[in-house]
Structures are given as structure tokens and as C-alpha cells.
Amino acid sequence: HVYERAHGTCEICGSIRATEYDHRVPWSMGGLTTAENIRLVCRSCNQREAVKIFGPYQVHPPGASYSGEANTE
């Protein structure tokens, strides 16, 4: 339903590359996993939106690898 509604494109910028499902209201902030609260966005827009909501250090903490694991080396 979500993919069809978005016609397979990012609902923010229209890209067809690296699309993924995203909560409009984040799950961590009480957002539900319903079709109305899920949207299709590209990875770039998803990251940009996450930084707007959570701040850069919550999304990519200093010293963390891309997977989110702490770099202990």
C-alpha cells in the first residue's frame, strides 16, 4: 500500500534510488507502524529528516562506525 501510494519514489524528493520505509512520526516518539504513518523515502532524505528530528550526534555519534557500533580501535 505505501509503495503503491508513493509510486515507488521518494515522497520527499521523487528519487527512485535506495528507497526505504520511514515513520513520519518516529517509532521512538510514539509513532505507530501504520500505513498512514509510514512513507517511502530515499536514504538521503531519510538521513536528512533524522538529523532534523534527533540532531546530528544522535544519528551519527562521534566515533561510531556506519553500523552504529562504537569504534574501539
Side-chain angles (χ1 to χ4, degrees):
H1 177 68
V2 174
Y3 188 87
E4 290 82 16
R5 180 184 69 210
H7 305 289
T9 64
C10 174
E11 294 184 36
I12 296 173
C13 75
S15 174
I16 60 170
R17 297 176 150 251
T19 55
E20 51 195 34
Y21 295 102
D22 176 52
H23 287 83
R24 293 175 191 273
V25 176
W27 184 81
S28 64
M29 299 175 96
L32 301 176
T33 303
T34 61
E36 294 77 26
N37 192 44
I38 301 292
R39 61 184 172 182
L40 191 68
V41 295
C42 69
R43 178 116 178 106
S44 295
C45 286
N46 197 4
Q47 289 294 303
R48 197 167 25 260
E49 291 293 307
V51 168
K52 277 198 249 181
I53 294 169
F54 298 110
Y57 295 109
Q58 293 297 322
V59 177
H60 298 289
S65 69
Y66 185 76
S67 67
E69 298 295 322
N71 185 353
T72 58
E73 293 178 20

